[in-house]
Amino acid sequence: MSTTVLKGGRIIDQLGERSGDVVVDHESGVIVNVGPDLSGDTVIDISGCVVAPGFVDLHVHLRQPGNEAAETIETGSRAAARGGFTAVVAMPNTTPCMDSAAVINDVLAAGASALCEIKPSGSISVGREGHELSPMAELAALGVRMFTDDGSGVQDAQFMRRALEYAGSLYADDGVPFVLAQHCEVAALSAGGVMHEGEWSARLGLGGQPSEAEELMVMRDIALSRLTGVRVHFQHLSTAGSVAMVRAAKAGGLAVTAEATPHHFSLTDATCAGYDPIFKVHPPLRTASDVAAVKAGLADGTIDAIATDHAPHTPDSKELPFDQAPPGMLGLETALAVALDELDLPLADIIGLLSWRPAEIAGLAARHGRSIQDGNPANLCVIDPFVTWQVSGTDMASRARNTPFEGRTLTGRVRHTVFGGEVVVRDGEATR
Ligand code: DOR
C-alpha cells in the first residue's frame, strides 16, 4: 500500500456534507478509510477545503489526432486535472475523426498515461458528414458510450432517426447505456453567422446565428426521442427557448438530458463589441435573458450537467479577424470558479453538476462521481472555495491560451486532484 491522507477537510458528495479524513491508496486506486484522525504514508493538510468526487467533463476537444499544436491528450489531461476533473469525454472532431476503431484505439492508447481518464466519444456518422452511420457497435465494443457529431449537428432528420434506433438496439456487456448527444445547429440557418444574431451583430456588422438555428434542432430531436423512445443528450444549450423546450420535454416524461457551459451562463454577446475573436464560440454567446434562462435551467434540474466545451486553438488562429478565427474557448481550468462565481446555488449542487450527474450521462458512474466511502474508486478533488485568484492564459496547463476570462478575478479553485489513488495535482500543480 502507498497511502495518502487528505486531512482536516469537509467531505461533500451525494450523501451530504460531513467532516472526516480520507485515506486513498495508489496501488489499489481506492479509498481505504474515511473517518476522524486517520494517518497515511503522505499527509496533505486540507483544512478549510472541501473534498469531493472528481469532476467529469462531458465535452472537451483534445485535438489529438490532427491538431497537436493546439492541444494534446497529455496537455488537455493536465488542464483537466488542474480543473478537478478525473474523467473527460473527448469530442470526435479530430483529424481523422473518431469514426473508426483505429482512431479510438489511438486515443485510448494516448490516454492510458494521462492525468485523468480519457473517454473517447464516437462520431454518429462517418466523417461527421451526416450520411452514413459510423460503425457504432465496433466503437462501443472498445468502450465508447457517447456518440455525437459535435462541431456540427446531424442535419437530416431521417438519418438521426435511424441513428437513434440503431443506438437503441445496441447492448453493452456492462449494461451501461449508450447516449446520442447532439450539437444543435441547423446549418442552413446558422450559415454565414459568426456570432449571435441580434442587436450586437447588427451594430457590429457581423453575420448572426439566430437562436432558432439551435432551437429548431432541439425541437426536432425532442420529437425524435419521443418517436424512437431513445434518449438524446443536448450539448451546450445556449438559448432560453432551448431550455424551455427541454424543461417541457422532461415534464412530459421524456428521458432527455442536457448540459450547459460556463461561458454560456456567464458571458453575453456584448463581449463581442471589441471584435475580439476570443469571444467567438459555437453556439455563440447570447443575450442576458438567455444567460438567465441557462442559470435557471441549471438551478431547477432542466440542465443536468456543466460541461466545458474546452476548445483549444493556437494563438495564431485566434488572432485572425473575428469572422475568420475558429470558434471555441478554453474551459477546463476555470469551470469550477466560474460556476461558483456565477451560480447562486449551494456548493453541493454545483459539485453535483460537475461530478456525479455528468458521470451518469457519460456512462462513467462505476468509477467517477462516486460517494466518498471505503472501497470506492479514489477519484477525488479538493476545492478551496474561498481562495481568490486571477485568470491568466499563460499560467494554464493547456497548450492553448484562448481563455475568455483572462485577467478576471475569481473565487474558488481546485487545490488537489486524486486520480486512481494518485495525487496528480498538488497545490494546483501537476505532480508528473
Ligand atoms: O466553439 C466551438 N468550438 N464549438 C464547436 O462546436 C466546436 C469547437 C471546436 O472544435 O473548436
Side-chain angles (χ1 to χ4, degrees), residues 181-212:
Q182 187 74 280
H183 167 134
C184 289
E185 179 182 341
V186 174
L189 267 183
S190 65
V194 295
M195 65 175 294
H196 172 65
E197 181 177 312
E199 184 192 331
W200 277 103
S201 64
R203 276 203 221 179
L204 298 169
L206 292 170
Q209 298 186 8
S211 297
E212 287 75 5

Side-chain angles (χ1 to χ4, degrees), residues 61 63 93 150-152 183 236 280-283 309 311 313 327-329:
H61 297 272
R63 305 299 188 217
N93 61 337
D150 183 66
S152 45
H183 167 134
H236 43 45
K280 181 174 175 181
V281 66
H282 288 174
D309 197 1
H313 290 289
M329 318 177 149

Side-chain angles (χ1 to χ4, degrees), residues 184-369:
C184 289
E185 179 182 341
V186 174
L189 267 183
S190 65
V194 295
M195 65 175 294
H196 172 65
E197 181 177 312
E199 184 192 331
W200 277 103
S201 64
R203 276 203 221 179
L204 298 169
L206 292 170
Q209 298 186 8
S211 297
E212 287 75 5
E214 173 175 309
E215 291 164 356
L216 280 178
M217 198 173 284
V218 172
M219 190 185 294
R220 182 200 74 180
D221 283 1
I222 287 172
L224 290 177
S225 181
R226 188 181 300 117
L227 177 67
T228 59
V230 177
R231 180 164 62 116
V232 174
H233 174 72
F234 293 102
Q235 297 176 296
H236 43 45
L237 287 190
S238 70
T239 83
S242 297
V243 177
M245 285 187 283
V246 171
R247 182 177 290 119
K250 287 187 168 190
L254 276 190
V256 294
T257 55
E259 64 183 43
T261 72
H263 48 268
H264 287 119
F265 62 71
S266 62
L267 303 172
T268 70
D269 56 348
T271 56
C272 302
Y275 295 95
D276 186 345
I278 212 82
F279 299 108
K280 181 174 175 181
V281 66
H282 288 174
L285 301 175
R286 308 271 186 192
T287 66
S289 56
D290 294 305
V291 168
V294 171
K295 285 183 176 177
L298 286 160
D300 73 5
T302 299
I303 300 173
D304 302 85
I306 295 170
T308 67
D309 197 1
H310 179 81
H313 290 289
T314 60
D316 282 0
S317 66
K318 272 296 197 185
E319 275 159 19
L320 291 167
F322 197 97
D323 55 344
Q324 293 165 36
M329 318 177 149
L330 300 186
L332 285 165
E333 295 178 66
T334 47
L336 170 73
V338 174
L340 289 172
D341 279 40
E342 295 285 341
L343 301 177
D344 192 17
L345 293 175
L347 179 56
D349 291 3
I350 290 175
I351 293 171
L353 287 162
L354 283 162
S355 178
W356 52 89
R357 296 175 67 191
E360 285 283 346
I361 295 167
L364 286 165
R367 292 188 295 286
H368 299 270

Side-chain angles (χ1 to χ4, degrees), residues 65 92 94 96-108 120-128 133-136 138-140 142 144 147:
T94 48
C97 96
M98 297 187 198
D99 63 1
S100 69
V103 177
I104 297 293
N105 274 326
D106 284 352
V107 170
L108 289 170
S121 64
S123 64
I124 295 173
S125 66
V126 172
R128 298 175 43 253
L133 280 182
S134 71
M136 283 192 206
E138 200 185 342
L139 307 187
L142 298 173
V144 172
F147 295 93

